[in-house]
Amino acid sequence: MDEDAGGASPPPVPLAQAPPPQHPIAVAAAATATAAAPSQRDMAASPTSSRSVTETVNGSHRFVIQGYSLAKGMGVGKHIASETFTVGGYQWAVYFYPDGKNPEDNSVYVSVFIALASDGTDVRALFELTLLDQSGKGKHKVHSHFDRSLESGPYTLKYRGSMWGYKRFFRRTALEASDFLKDDCLKINCTVGVVVSTIDYSRPHSIHVPDSDIGYDFGSLLDSQEGVDVILNVGGERFHAHKLVLAARSHVFRSQLFDDESDGEKSEVNETDELKEFSIDDMEPTVFKAMLHFIYRDTLVDDNELGASSSDGSIFDTLAAKLLAAADKYHLPRLRLLCESYLCKGISVASVASTLALADRHRAMELKAVCLKFSAENLSGT
């Protein structure tokens, strides 16, 4: 009898070829590994982003033209230039043409321009020129490029000496009869906005780091008097402090507090609290307190305190001036600069001589330079 091939059973599998039994733990581990394997999409990096920010870096300069009547007649196309000033990394200057810039106008108009006074190529900027009303009415004459930025865009200065401004800035006869001219003086405000572009790249994850608060922490240490180890007796008023802080900030204090020789300063041991006490006889307590404020906090006291003086109003009698002297004595260069910066704001025709004397006495070179420059600009005709 023939066999039915379609119904034949498969040959038995030899024992050696049968798949080995798997341990349950091994099977579970393999399944877990398969589930944990990341897909191609999961392995892609987190999305990033960036943003182009185009804005203006703005700065202003006031140009005072004293002796306008004497400047007239210098000639068409000839100008008086302001001191250069920096905005957006470039030097700028204001040019005033008392007889006009354009020969065709026959000196009917004065011209005013803003010029690029440093090397630069294709510098894009916005400008504003304001002729100040000196009557106090606030009716200034304003020529502004900022208002038209959306219409025409920034102006491009191709190279050093390129200018933006007005050949017909103001009719001369009208100017001379106006409130813009007072005591033969004109005042022009100039504003420059240099266009800059930056890329703001936002990382997927970032951590904001706040500003340093070390000055606050040290100030709190001074206020709490925790760990104080020295007493400074100033004019009978006793100040508790920390020797290491004083020494770290001023090598003069370091010498007085840690060297065997105290350089003429009196020292004694206070039997009550066992803290070493030093006497400072050539400084007022209010001045020392302000200096201590700086040593711990790295800032000046309030402006109201700095400007306070006796009834005679002498600049030498202000707290700022006395603090400048203290900074010089205790070699605190940053305090010296802070005082110079504050005193610089108050320079006037009436005070420049005394401020210059103060700066010279206490080696305040930045303040001295400002005083000399102010004198050259404002006192040359007196």
Side-chain angles (χ1 to χ4, degrees):
M1 181 193 281
D2 295 333
E3 294 182 0
D4 187 355
S9 299
V13 179
L15 185 60
Q17 297 180 9
Q22 292 184 320
H23 194 280
I25 296 178
V27 173
T32 302
T34 303
S39 67
Q40 189 69 21
R41 183 173 59 185
D42 293 335
M43 293 178 64
S46 300
T48 60
S49 65
S50 63
R51 179 180 60 163
S52 173
V53 180
T54 302
E55 56 190 356
T56 58
V57 176
N58 299 336
S60 298
H61 180 80
R62 175 170 292 188
F63 185 27
V64 178
I65 301 159
Q66 188 72 49
Y68 163 79
S69 61
L70 298 176
K72 288 172 55 180
M74 66 188 306
V76 176
K78 295 185 179 180
H79 65 267
I80 301 171
S82 72
E83 182 65 66
T84 58
F85 55 97
T86 302
V87 180
Y90 298 96
Q91 293 284 309
W92 305 88
V94 182
Y95 290 174
F96 176 73
Y97 297 79
D99 294 322
K101 190 175 186 295
N102 191 3
E104 288 78 13
D105 288 332
N106 296 315
S107 301
V108 173
Y109 298 91
V110 297
S111 306
V112 182
F113 282 82
I114 303 171
L116 179 62
S118 61
D119 292 333
T121 303
D122 295 334
V123 180
R124 301 174 68 237
L126 301 174
F127 304 98
E128 182 175 280
L129 287 166
T130 303
L131 185 60
L132 298 182
D133 175 10
Q134 300 188 67
S135 69
K137 300 174 183 176
K139 296 181 179 180
H140 311 304
K141 182 176 179 61
V142 181
H143 292 282
S144 181
H145 193 197
F146 286 84
D147 298 338
R148 306 195 309 270
S149 60
L150 290 178
E151 301 172 9
S152 57
Y155 188 78
T156 301
L157 294 95
K158 296 290 186 181
Y159 44 81
R160 180 174 187 162
S162 297
M163 294 186 289
W164 175 91
Y166 294 88
K167 292 179 180 178
R168 297 180 175 182
F169 184 76
F170 210 109
R171 186 178 288 271
R172 251 185 13 176
T173 54
L175 175 65
E176 292 166 5
S178 71
D179 290 327
F180 301 112
L181 182 65
K182 182 180 180 181
D183 298 329
D184 207 25
C185 172
L186 294 171
K187 296 180 179 180
I188 300 174
N189 271 1
C190 161
T191 300
V192 178
V194 178
V195 178
V196 295
S197 295
T198 57
I199 296 295
D200 180 13
Y201 172 65
S202 299
R203 292 172 174 80
H205 307 288
S206 62
I207 298 174
H208 172 70
V209 179
D211 294 335
S212 172
D213 56 0
I214 189 172
Y216 173 82
D217 291 338
F218 273 85
S220 299
L221 188 65
L222 176 65
D223 293 339
S224 68
Q225 297 193 7
E226 183 178 354
V228 295
D229 55 3
V230 67
I231 297 174
L232 291 308
N233 190 319
V234 185
E237 189 169 337
R238 301 164 80 239
F239 296 88
H240 292 74
H242 305 80
K243 289 194 289 187
L244 284 177
V245 176
L246 298 177
R249 297 288 272 162
S250 165
H251 71 76
V252 177
F253 273 124
R254 186 183 311 134
S255 175
Q256 291 176 350
L257 297 174
F258 290 103
D259 289 357
D260 291 335
E261 302 252 348
S262 61
D263 217 18
E265 298 285 357
K266 303 174 188 175
S267 65
E268 58 187 31
V269 176
N270 186 293
E271 300 295 341
T272 304
D273 51 18
E274 299 182 350
L275 297 183
K276 195 169 186 180
E277 184 167 325
F278 290 82
S279 293
I280 298 176
D281 300 324
D282 58 351
M283 189 181 301
E284 298 173 18
T286 54
V287 179
F288 186 82
K289 183 178 180 181
M291 184 175 72
L292 208 58
H293 177 100
F294 166 79
I295 286 175
Y296 278 81
R297 293 178 172 86
D298 205 41
T299 60
L300 290 176
V301 294
D302 293 339
D303 285 0
N304 291 338
E305 297 180 58
L306 287 172
S309 65
S310 62
S311 57
D312 63 5
S314 169
I315 190 172
F316 287 89
D317 200 41
T318 62
L319 177 59
K322 295 174 181 178
L323 201 53
L324 177 66
D328 184 30
K329 176 182 177 182
Y330 285 93
H331 199 262
L332 297 165
R334 175 170 164 78
L335 177 58
R336 187 209 308 268
L337 276 176
L338 286 171
C339 292
E340 289 183 72
S341 177
Y342 174 83
L343 291 164
C344 174
K345 299 173 187 177
I347 293 176
S348 65
V349 172
S351 68
V352 65
S354 56
T355 305
L356 178 60
L358 175 71
D360 191 55
R361 177 182 297 181
H362 299 299
R363 294 174 287 186
M365 304 312 296
E366 297 287 341
L367 183 60
K368 182 177 180 179
V370 172
C371 289
L372 292 173
K373 185 176 181 180
F374 181 91
S375 299
E377 292 174 348
N378 296 276
L379 302 178
S380 56
T382 60

